[in-house]
Structure formats: C-alpha cells, structure tokens
Amino acid sequence: MLEWFAIDLIKQAGEYIRLQIDESYRIERKTGKGDLVTEIDRAVEQLIVDQIRESYPEHHIIGEEGISTQPDDLSGTVWFVDPIDGTLNFIHQKRMFAISIAVMVDGVVEYGFVYDVMADELFVARRGVGATLNGRKLPMIQEHHVRDAFLSMNATWVTPNQQIAPEVLAPIVRDSVGTRAHGAASLELAWLAAGRVDGYITMRNMPWDYAAGKLLVEEVGGRVASIYGEPVRYDGKTSVLAGSETFVKDVVKHYVIAKGATPEVKPDLQIGINESYDRVRDLLVLANPNEAMVRDQYKAGTTYEPCSAGNVSGHICSSHAASR
Ligand code: 2AM
Ligand code: CA
C-alpha cells in the first residue's frame, strides 16, 4: 500500500542522512549565498526517485533537485519530493530539517509526509482521515488572532525584499506573541499542525516545500492560503499563509488588505522589447567589454529588457545574456 511504501522510503532516506551528516560533502550555490545544495540532497533525492520509479513506474515525480524528468502537467499521480527541506539548517545546525513528500492524485493532494530526521518525528496526513505524529493522532488546532499567536516567519520578509513591502508584515511581528524563524517550511507547517506554533508566513515557497505540510495543517482544521487569501498554486512559486481560519482571516483583512497590498501591486517583472541601444549599453558592456562586438550582436538580434517596478533590471540579447 502506498502509505506504507512512502513511510518505509522516508525512514530509509532519513537513516541515510543520519549516517552522512558528519561526513564531508560538497556544497554548491544555487541562486545565492543562502540557496545551497549539497551532494547529500542530490543523493537522497536519487534514492527516493529510484524507489518510486521501481514500484510505481507510471507515476510522475517533481523533486527540488530535478533528478527526474518534470511532468508537463499535474494529471495522474504526482509525487512532490524535497529530499532536504531546510538545507541551511542541515549544513549549519545539523538539525531542524526534514524530508518532505506529498502525493497528489489528479490535482488533489492525498498524502503528506514530513520527517524530522534528527528528532525522528514522522508527521503523516491522509486527506479526509486526519494527521498523525509518530502514529498518534493530532488534535484539531486552536483558533488564534495575530495578537495571541506564536509565529514562525523568517526575518527576510520584514527587511527590503523582492516579494512584498516590509511594512505589510512588520506589524504582524510587532502585534504577535513572538516570532521565530525556523527555516524549513515543511517542518514549520508540521509544527503548526501539532500546535507548536500558531501561524506560518513565507513569501516564497515551492510546492515541494509546502504540499505535504499543507495537508497536515488542513487535516487538523487549519487553513493554508497565499498571503492574499487565495488558494495556493502547485505550478510554481507562491507565498504561504497558514494557521487557524481566524488567524488567516485576521492577517489577510487587518494587515495585508489594510495596507493595500494585492498581488497586482507587489513588485512584478515585465519583459519588453528594447528599442534603444543607449538604454542597455552599460549593461551589455558589463557582460562583454568588447563594445564593437556587443554593438554587432545588438544589431543582429533582438534585445529584451526585464523591468521591475518601472526600472530596467537587466537585458537579454538573442545571442547572449547578462543580468544584474
Ligand atoms: P530548502 O531548504 O529546501 O531550499 C526557508 O525559509 C524555507 O524556504 C525552506 O523551506 C527552504 O527550502 C525554502 N526556500 C529557500 N529558498 C527558496 C527559494 N528560492 N524558493 C522557494 N523556497 C525556498
Ligand atoms: Ca530542499
């Protein structure tokens, strides 16, 4: 049965991580100094993907490290796999990271598994049946307003960032009982389901970060939405606002909407066609100091310019690219 297969798999993967955690391993940067991947992340994803493929060859797998071919859509059975959620915690703290696996069938998440590897705590959710922690059923969560909530939220979102104006979320930090930054979305959602925190907010998660944790929260009566109160999407990056129904409504109504923040006004990226060489000259020369060559390439192809909040933030030439 799928549930036992997944539990066995996640425990095996956890055992592998525990054996490797004190060994030396390669670390690579992905998008920045805080976005890292280790060879352990990749090895764990490979272990999980191999076993799913062997037992369920017709299923699709969407893994953070992209070991398997990504499906074109979410039809059929899709596994969302994050081999190590909280890679920075794994590297620096050697604790507070999780393996997160969710199983979606025809667009609906049916199972969620979050395994806190070092604490040996396995959270399991089955849609419509409930959520458990190491086999014990989790009770329904308590209702909270922001003023009596203990929150999990990274400091990133109350400093200048690309996703939201800091003044939207800073009052939540001020008004709540306390805020902690735990750094592993799946665990923060699992802890919410277990009543250890009363809310979780992030502006940037991918489906493998939250799909399993979201079902855990929903199975104990909580709600998971975007920061604007919309359903979260499974086809790309999204904000995540999770807590009791009261908490989610309070945040959306009294903080997000009250500040006039909507998905339409948040900084967005628009890509237009560049029609003035002078507008992009400096950036082009930054990428290739040979201006004669740059000018030839510019004339020969099409140049696109991404704009964020009205400012040119980079350029893409048909024959080469540079950005800042
Ligand atoms: P990760 O460790 O698997 O990358 C940290 O606040 C949480 O956000 C972690 O769950 C982390 O997952 C996730 N995260 C970090 N960088 C991210 C990014 N660029 N996009 C989506 N999720 C990210
Ligand atoms: Ca990860």
Side-chain angles (χ1 to χ4, degrees), residues 31 35 64 82 84-88 154 183-185 200 204-206 209:
T31 58
D35 189 12
E64 175 166 22
D82 192 341
I84 299 184
D85 180 38
T87 299
L88 274 183
N154 287 353
Y200 171 59
R204 189 190 56 188
N205 258 187
M206 291 295 284
D209 294 321

